[in-house]
Amino acid sequence: MPIVIICQNKDPLPWVKALNRVAPDVEIRLWPDDQDRDLATMALTWSHPPGVLAHYPNLRLISSMGAGIDHINNDSSFPSDVPVTRIIDPELLHDMYDYLETQIAGFRHHSHYYGLSQQTRQWLPLNSIAKDSVRVGVMGLGKLGGHVAVKLAQAGYSVLGWARSQKALKGVHCFSGQGNIKEFLRQSNVLINLLPLTKSTQAILNRQYLSCLPQQAYLINVGRGLHLVERDLIELLDEGHLSGACLDVFQQEPLPEKHPFWSHPKIKITPHVSSLTNPESVASQVVLNYRRIGSGEVFDNQVDLQRGY
Ligand code: NDP
Ligand code: OXD
């Protein structure tokens, strides 16, 4: 029974190669050129066009090609009785940490500002922001957020974290629940968003909450574009409440050419690359779950669709 790969904005060929290497006996098909869709029992998806999963009547498992599953859960036509799994992989954790630590160091040393002054050939030195005055707030303390928060604390930053349930993480001052979000934000001057996109987290990076951050705070959004109310961010940057933002994820990806974020002097953009799944590293976990179909064994990394993550 074939596995079908259904993806947009991602090259499927490295996935085919990695899956063929670990499971040469399994047929891998590529949407949209695949035939006999009733034969596929597993779909591996990223940013699939809504509605397409419903064309596969015999799916027994849907796997995200990344850590997030919002693209699956937000497709109202997806067969919701089919289990959904996601990717959890140490490489994702390491890459995310490296990316975020680099952005925080860039914030401390004004790297974005120097990039702009280089363009106008201006020699404008500024004092760097002392490491001990940076208080990093991490929203979402799951696989990625929990790892990043603990490692940033080990690296000498003051770290705060916020999640739905209370955590005890070494070196991290943890907050939980809606009732404590404002206090968490008031104490964070660099805010990292690593929440999953769900009904309760959509638009959470809005004026009401971002204004709780101290003056000159910096935002790093690596969660999802729909967490952020774009107009609120631009206003808070223009008013000077926030000093800048590094954005890796967007409501529409690729970010449209005419989008105001491209030319905003306080916004740094990366094209959804803070931690990309390496197919070679995760092919075996995908195949392991594929082989469990029909065995009665529990799938690894299955998500709770009611909770949304
Ligand atoms: P997890 O599911 O492991 O963790 C999610 C965390 O968010 C948990 O700590 C959870 O709290 C918390 N959370 C969920 N809902 C709420 C809420 N309503 N209020 C407060 N806290 C909440 O996810 P991961 O760490 O693996 O990934 C997080 C997200 O990062 C992904 O969903 C994806 O969107 C994004 N991502 C982005 C990448 C990129 O390249 N830009 C790469 C990989 C992931 P609790 O622990 O209490 O349940
Ligand atoms: C993911 C992502 O969820 O790349 O893995 O955003």
Side-chain angles (χ1 to χ4, degrees):
M1 296 300 157
I3 298 177
V4 58
I5 300 179
I6 310 174
C7 65
Q8 299 186 112
N9 304 330
K10 208 185 255 305
D11 180 3
L13 296 182
W15 287 84
V16 175
K17 190 169 157 234
L19 293 167
N20 283 338
R21 182 179 56 74
V22 295
D25 57 311
V26 178
E27 186 189 349
I28 310 297
R29 295 183 174 182
L30 289 184
W31 171 87
D33 299 322
D34 54 326
Q35 307 289 320
D36 302 325
R37 292 183 170 171
D38 53 323
L39 294 181
T41 52
M42 177 172 183
L44 190 55
T45 83
W46 187 253
S47 195
H48 65 270
V52 78
L53 289 170
H55 299 157
Y56 294 83
N58 292 316
L59 288 180
R60 309 278 299 278
L61 178 63
I62 301 172
S63 171
S64 171
M65 293 162 93
I69 56 104
D70 44 289
H71 56 292
I72 302 170
N73 227 10
N74 289 346
D75 174 356
S76 57
S77 70
F78 107 86
S80 56
D81 53 332
V82 177
V84 172
T85 55
R86 70 189 189 108
I87 299 296
I88 298 179
D89 182 51
E91 272 194 37
L92 281 182
L93 305 188
H94 299 150
D95 285 354
M96 185 58 88
Y97 175 76
D98 286 350
Y99 174 96
L100 291 169
E101 213 276 327
T102 304
Q103 304 313 325
I104 296 167
F107 160 72
R108 287 187 51 224
H109 297 290
H110 311 292
S111 66
H112 186 62
Y113 162 84
Y114 292 128
L116 294 174
S117 49
Q118 181 174 348
Q119 284 172 21
T120 50
R121 300 176 181 236
Q122 287 184 289
W123 184 269
L124 295 168
L126 291 178
N127 286 332
S128 294
I129 298 168
K131 191 170 189 176
D132 61 9
S133 67
V134 176
R135 296 180 310 283
V136 187
V138 182
M139 296 178 96
L141 295 172
K143 289 285 172 200
L144 286 154
H147 174 80
V148 163
V150 169
K151 278 205 73 177
L152 286 171
Q154 283 167 359
Y157 291 100
S158 294
V159 184
L160 306 100
W162 180 76
R164 205 153 75 149
S165 56
Q166 187 62 32
K167 309 279 182 239
L169 297 174
K170 197 155 184 262
V172 182
H173 182 177
C174 294
F175 296 77
S176 60
Q178 212 56 36
N180 291 310
I181 187 171
K182 288 191 173 173
E183 193 47 41
F184 156 78
L185 292 168
R186 280 188 203 109
Q187 296 185 38
S188 308
N189 57 12
V190 172
L191 181 67
I192 293 174
N193 174 38
L194 263 169
L195 288 166
L197 180 66
T198 65
K199 284 193 183 73
S200 44
T201 63
Q202 180 159 345
I204 195 163
L205 300 175
N206 56 38
R207 175 176 269 279
Q208 188 206 355
Y209 285 146
L210 293 176
S211 327
C212 294
L213 295 167
Q215 284 284 338
Q216 294 295 299
Y218 191 77
L219 170 70
I220 306 176
N221 187 18
V222 284
R224 285 290 181 262
L226 282 167
H227 284 132
L228 177 66
V229 180
E230 298 187 339
R231 190 180 313 139
D232 290 359
L233 173 67
I234 290 182
E235 284 174 11
L236 288 164
L237 290 169
D238 291 348
E239 290 162 13
H241 186 81
L242 297 181
S243 63
C246 169
L247 307 177
D248 185 53
V249 287
F250 302 91
Q251 293 186 7
Q252 193 182 336
E253 296 182 6
L255 186 64
E257 210 181 312
K258 293 212 162 64
H259 198 286
F261 283 171
W262 283 116
S263 54
H264 198 287
K266 293 183 178 170
I267 293 180
K268 175 174 177 178
I269 288 172
T270 56
H272 201 143
V273 289
S274 52
S275 91
L276 290 173
T277 312
N278 173 1
E280 290 295 336
S281 172
V282 305
S284 53
Q285 65 175 267
V286 171
V287 169
L288 185 76
N289 275 338
Y290 168 80
R291 298 210 192 279
R292 287 181 179 170
I293 292 173
S295 71
E297 272 186 271
V298 176
F299 295 118
D300 281 345
N301 308 331
Q302 184 168 344
V303 296
D304 175 343
L305 291 171
Q306 287 308 315
R307 205 174 60 157
Y309 65 99

